[in-house]
Amino acid sequence: MKIQEADAKSLLVAQGLPVPGWEVAHNVEEARLAAERFFAAGAQQVVIKAQVLVGGRGKAGGVKLASSPDAAERVASTILGMDIKGITVRKILVAAAADIVKELYMSAVLDRADGRILLMGSAEGGVEIEQVAAANPDAIVRVHADPLLGLLDFQARQVVFAMGLGAHLKAGVAIAKGLVATMRAYDADLVEINPLAIVRELDAAGAPVKRLVCLDAKVTLDDSALPRHPELEALRDPDEEDPADRKAREAGLTFIKLDGTIGCMVNGAGLAMTTMDLVKRAGGEPANFLDIGGGARADRVAAAMRIILADPKVDAILVNIFGGITRGDEVARGLIEARAVQERDVPMIVRIVGTNAEEAAALLEEAHFTTAASLDEAAEKAVKASGGAAA
Ligand code: GDP
Ligand code: MN
């Protein structure tokens, strides 16, 4: 689950990381009031940032500075309602603009191959890290956190020195350890600070000081771990969740949309992967990955069917069920129910084996479904029904 920058920053603050204060505004009036408060507190400029779940907002015109409340109001009105990569901006972050001396990069990601948290740092921040990785891989320093002890002090220092942050050693170490702590506290997949910035500020006596702060924050939470953090569910942004993803989540289905034309309804993640492979081998392209889970009842099957058919590209459906806990006849009933009310008729090829397969076969035959005995046959029939093998 992706969360908005403002929410990501709240999680960082809760873990003790240095993040300059901000407010979230939903309309021009709120933005003006927020800006007035920052100017009253001594800000020379405010920064206004689109809150959308895509990267590269700066380049897209979604991050702008303003030097007065009037200017803030104007900037807010251009950013609110703006389309950034297909998403309409509905809220903005307002903050005192930082006086940036240097932009750097630091992130923690779950390294699945290694089974550990990977901390990455680079002196080249503010740009896309993928570009740095491609053009100058040596500019990125990497260390793996200890699974039990977290990021050790010497590892944090190693990263901070490699980033050229010797002058900010203490703050840099705290941030590095804080990113790993944030990963662990919320079961995050990614905690990325880009830019991590050296900024010029004035201390209490009015003397200039340089400080290391998190200016941007991107956090992705592990969906499978969300039940461990029910309070984070409130950070889900319904404005930006794909309708099909939301329906699938509400129905308890694991659904991932793909680009092909053959809808797949399968029970079990491994069988779903196999089914997709066989569709491809038969010359077709799967339209989705869909695992209806174990013990799927008729209503869940019907929900899955609606989600598959909502994709206009789908022109054939392959149902592949291995009945274990899941009863074949329940699935067959679900399919019959779903087809009776579905808005669009597409060919459906059904293979059900295992528990109550015979009852299922009888029900499907009576309802004139196309069935297949083997998975290979099912995949071939589905590809043929969808207009034959792709070139
Ligand atoms: P992103 O483009 O979606 O990653 O959004 P960021 O929050 O990273 O902002 C993009 C760029 O805007 C940063 O790399 C900075 O150069 C600039 N920027 C962001 N916040 C500030 C700020 O407070 N002051 C100044 N001067 N520039 C900022
Ligand atoms: Mn950024």
Side-chain angles (χ1 to χ4, degrees), residues 197-246:
I198 302 174
V199 299
R200 209 175 288 120
E201 290 180 354
L202 297 179
D203 68 11
V209 286
K210 286 182 189 166
R211 210 159 74 92
L212 195 60
V213 295
C214 305
L215 276 196
D216 189 11
K218 183 173 166 188
V219 169
T220 316
L221 302 168
D222 181 346
D223 292 308
S224 305
L226 276 177
R228 283 157 47 113
H229 311 278
E231 75 285 0
L232 298 179
E233 198 49 57
L235 304 184
R236 192 185 290 282
D237 190 332
D239 290 340
E240 288 196 45
E241 194 180 19
D242 184 85
D245 288 346
R246 192 187 61 241

Side-chain angles (χ1 to χ4, degrees), residues 309-330:
L309 283 171
D311 176 356
K313 280 174 83 178
V314 168
D315 58 12
I317 297 177
L318 171 48
V319 180
N320 183 23
I321 301 296
F322 188 86
I325 299 169
T326 309
R327 285 171 38 198
D329 58 322
E330 272 277 355

Side-chain angles (χ1 to χ4, degrees), residues 47 49 55-58 63 65 97-98 100 103 126 194-195 215-216:
V47 62
K49 306 174 74 177
R57 294 165 301 167
V63 178
L65 302 177
I100 301 175
E103 298 192 23
N194 190 20
L215 276 196
D216 189 11

Side-chain angles (χ1 to χ4, degrees), residues 5 9 20 45-50 52 54-60 62-65 95-100 103 125-127 192 194-195 199 215-217:
E5 173 191 2
K9 284 182 165 174
Q45 284 189 306
V46 292
V47 62
I48 297 188
K49 306 174 74 177
V52 284
V54 292
R57 294 165 301 167
K59 263 192 211 150
V63 178
K64 290 209 164 79
L65 302 177
D99 180 4
I100 301 175
E103 298 192 23
V127 291
E192 184 182 70
N194 190 20
V199 299
L215 276 196
D216 189 11

Side-chain angles (χ1 to χ4, degrees), residues 228-272:
R228 283 157 47 113
H229 311 278
E231 75 285 0
L232 298 179
E233 198 49 57
L235 304 184
R236 192 185 290 282
D237 190 332
D239 290 340
E240 288 196 45
E241 194 180 19
D242 184 85
D245 288 346
R246 192 187 61 241
K247 285 187 188 123
R249 182 168 52 76
E250 286 167 359
L253 306 161
T254 307
F255 172 81
I256 294 157
K257 192 181 160 348
L258 300 167
D259 287 332
T261 59
I262 300 178
C264 300
M265 186 193 304
V266 189
N267 67 326
L271 191 59

